[in-house]
Structure formats: C-alpha cells, structure tokens
Amino acid sequence: MKFLDIHDNNFNAEFAKILSRSEETNREVEQVVLDIISAVKNSGDTAVLEYTNRFDRLKAKSVSELEISKKEIETAFKQSEPEAIQALELAVKRIRAFHEKQKSQTWISTEEPEIMLGQMVTPLQSVGIYVPGGKASYPSSVIMNAVPAKVAGVSEIIMVVPTPDGEINPYVLVAAALSGVDRIYQIGGAQAVAALAYGTKTIPKVDKITGPGNIYVATAKKLVFGQVGIDMIAGPSEILVINDGSGNPSHIATDLLSQAEHDELASSILITTKRSFGESVAAEVETQLKSLSRERIARQSWEKYGAIIIAGSLEEAIEFSNKIAPEHLELAVNDPFAILTKIKNAGAIFMGHFTPEAAGDYIAGPNHTLPTGGTARFFSPLSVEDFVKKSSILCFSEKGLKQLGPAIVKIAKLEGLEAHGKSVSTRNK
C-alpha cells in the first residue's frame, strides 16, 4: 500500500504504477484467442467441445451435454437456502424496477406540415451473457446482465458460464431462472465468446455479448466486436473513496477491502483531507485483512495497488477523482450533495457514510456492470439502452419534399454527388 501526498514531487510517478495495473492484451494472448476464434468459426461444436473439455477438465461427448437442463435448475433450487433465494428474488425485483425507468419509447413528430420524423426503438433479438465461474461464482452478475435485457424485451437470452471440473454454483442457476435466462451452457473462455458470436450447430448466434471475464474473454470480446455488439471491455475492479476526515475509519477500511478481495489486480484508493484519518484507515485495513477468508488475494491487491492519498482540500480530491474516472466512487463526507455536481467522471457514485459500494453490487437497483480503467470518461453503466437499437423514421409528402428539396440539391452539389441531387430534383418537377 502506498501512503502518498498529492503535493509530493514524485506523486504522479508513484500513482502511475497503480494505473498501469490492468492486464494488457499482449500479442501472445491475442494470438491464442485468434486461434480459438478461428477454430470455433470453422469447426463449430467440435472446437467448442475440445477446448471446453481441455480447459475445464470435462469429459462431455457433445456440446448438447453442456446445456443445463430444467431438471438441473430444479435441483439447484432444492440445494439453495430459502433465505438466499428470497434475497435473490428481492434483488431481481429491485433491479427490474430501477431498469424499467430507463426504457425509451418509439416517438413520432408531426410538428412540420407534410413531414413526419421519428425514432423507432426495437429490442435486440438475442443476447449472450457471460458469467465468470473461475475464482468465484457471481449470481449477482447474472441478474445485472439478464434483467435489463429482459426489461428491454430481448427475445432470447443465452448464458454461458465455465464450470471447471463440472462444478457449478447452484445460486448462479437460481439467479438465471429468476432473471428470465432462456438457455444456459457450461462453456467459458474465448471459445464461449466465439460460439456466441458466430453460432454453431448447437449454440445460437447472438446479436450482442455482455458480461465480464478474464483477459482471454475480454480479448475475445474485443476481437469479435463488429461481428456482434459488446457492452464494454471490463478490467480489474476499482474503488476510490473521497473523505473529509469524517466518518468511521473501520467502515472505510471495509469498503476498500470489498474491492481488494475481488482479485489481485483490483485497486482500492482513499483520498482524504486528514492525514490522521488516513492513518487510522490503514491500521484498520491491516487488522481486518487478517480475518478475511480471501486474505491472500486482498492483501496482494492492497499492498500492490492500494493507496491512501492526502489532499489539501476536497476540491483537490475531486479534481483528482475526475482525472481517474473511477468505476466506484464513494463520497464519504459530511455533505455529499454539496459536491455531487462537481463529479464529472464516475461509473457509480455512492453518497454519504451509510451507502457502501456493496449495496450497489447486489440489491440497490442500479447496475453493477460499470466502466473500469478510466473509461467512465466516456462509457456508462450497463442499462436497458444496451439491449435495444434505434431506427430513424422519415416520411415526406410531395409538398414536404418540395419544401426542403432546393436545400438538399444544393448540399448534394457542394459534395459533388450528382445522383443524390437528381433523386430529389426529379421528384420536384
């Protein structure tokens, strides 16, 4: 963990080491992924089966064996604690309610006589959602990807999830059923992405792929973009906490560790105007680390990519945050609403001392699939908008075309596109 002062001469150099933490898609990884994509594109199910059996240590004889059956989902419900199912049901209900508010409608404007303009909103036909299944299983990721797709009106949702050694978390299946997932396949990695992008005899081709994964999954999504749509290229998780010296250091320490325990590349940063508060948080983090079941992961993340930064004022802290554009931003200050409008770049903003980032991860309502690695400067959280497409509508009467015809012909002439102009002028004779 780095203890830094924003005014130190070496601050930028030291902090740059944290910013460079992301797994870069090197040529070796990219070539491996390209080979997998090519194999799946050319050999379909045969390649998917071979890679899945090899990487996840399975013994399936066909891809159809890798599809989760209704009976397996029923078994998952029986294996799950009733209280856990209730919690997942509450999460689905709240997340659906939040995303319902994001829906946009088809509209038509007839403000101009003889001219009708508008926009038609159409849901995607099919979507593939990738759910991690390696170091941990995340039913919350299922809900966050499937529910907005369902709200948008997507006809078919295909879920892929790797199951090393054939093991799958029953709560992932429960979450899928509660969220409206139509089909589930026990495949992961670049081969799953390629199968969804190009389709095979068994696995349907989809219009868009969403959901996080490791460097091979992220690289595969990047390489198939254009063949299908994707949500974003997700990097390691991150949290930035802005603090004015108020609040409980123990609470802040817990919030920082909630990201550090994700994986070794996660980044947890506190920027505070009070050095003594930062020192108390550092001590709390060390104490709490010892009791975490994922201590090794969290400690490696904290020691390599964690930081406590001292700022001269909240204004300096906010300016720093806007440059970083964090995935998760906690405003752990006495009056978060006083500085909210100054925040320009953040995936999600958690206001005050009693809004921990974990509330947004699971049950608050907003989506937890957020832009990472500074991409909150231009990306937004996953939403219903990601699962629809929009078509412009134009309708001119004969009189309407005559009204705008001369200007259309003039601009076509400026661009040297004679046929464009003639397509209008021949109608306006």
Side-chain angles (χ1 to χ4, degrees), residues 18-69:
I18 295 175
L19 292 181
S20 65
R21 79 192 193 285
S22 298
E23 292 179 286
E24 296 291 340
T25 305
N26 57 44
R27 290 183 179 179
E28 183 179 348
V29 170
E30 187 166 299
Q31 188 56 56
V32 169
V33 173
L34 280 169
D35 290 344
I36 293 173
I37 291 173
S38 178
V40 172
K41 184 178 178 181
N42 293 323
S43 303
D45 282 349
T46 301
V48 171
L49 186 65
E50 194 276 323
Y51 286 122
T52 300
N53 282 340
R54 186 203 312 176
F55 296 145
D56 289 342
R57 301 173 296 281
L58 303 182
K59 296 180 180 180
K61 295 181 180 179
S62 68
V63 174
S64 59
E65 285 183 35
L66 299 174
E67 183 170 4
I68 298 293
S69 66

Side-chain angles (χ1 to χ4, degrees), residues 211-268:
N214 62 20
I215 188 172
Y216 292 93
V217 172
T219 303
K221 285 173 67 177
K222 181 179 179 181
L223 292 173
V224 300
F225 176 63
Q227 176 68 26
V228 292
I230 62 171
D231 51 350
M232 62 186 83
I233 306 297
S237 190
E238 60 202 33
I239 186 171
L240 173 64
V241 181
I242 293 178
N243 174 262
D244 59 1
S246 65
N248 188 328
S250 176
H251 295 170
I252 302 301
T254 304
D255 294 350
L256 294 171
L257 289 175
S258 73
Q259 293 307 296
E261 72 175 355
H262 265 296
D263 66 62
E264 297 88 344
L265 288 168
S267 174
S268 305

Side-chain angles (χ1 to χ4, degrees), residues 1 237 256 259-268 295-307:
M1 185 272 295
S237 190
L256 294 171
Q259 293 307 296
E261 72 175 355
H262 265 296
D263 66 62
E264 297 88 344
L265 288 168
S267 174
S268 305
E295 179 188 357
R296 184 191 62 79
I297 293 172
R299 184 176 293 279
Q300 187 170 333
S301 165
W302 176 244
E303 291 179 353
K304 194 167 184 180
Y305 301 114

Side-chain angles (χ1 to χ4, degrees), residues 2-8 11 15 240-246 269-279 307-324 333 339:
K2 295 177 174 61
F3 211 108
L4 306 171
D5 190 305
I6 204 168
H7 298 111
D8 288 346
F11 173 77
F15 194 75
L240 173 64
V241 181
I242 293 178
N243 174 262
D244 59 1
S246 65
I269 300 167
L270 166 66
I271 182 165
T272 180
T273 57
K274 301 291 183 183
R275 175 175 286 274
S276 59
F277 187 89
E279 291 169 348
I308 294 177
I309 300 169
I310 310 304
S313 65
L314 276 180
E315 287 68 28
E316 279 189 348
I318 293 166
E319 182 181 359
F320 171 81
S321 175
N322 284 333
K323 288 180 180 178
I324 300 306
V333 298
I339 63 173

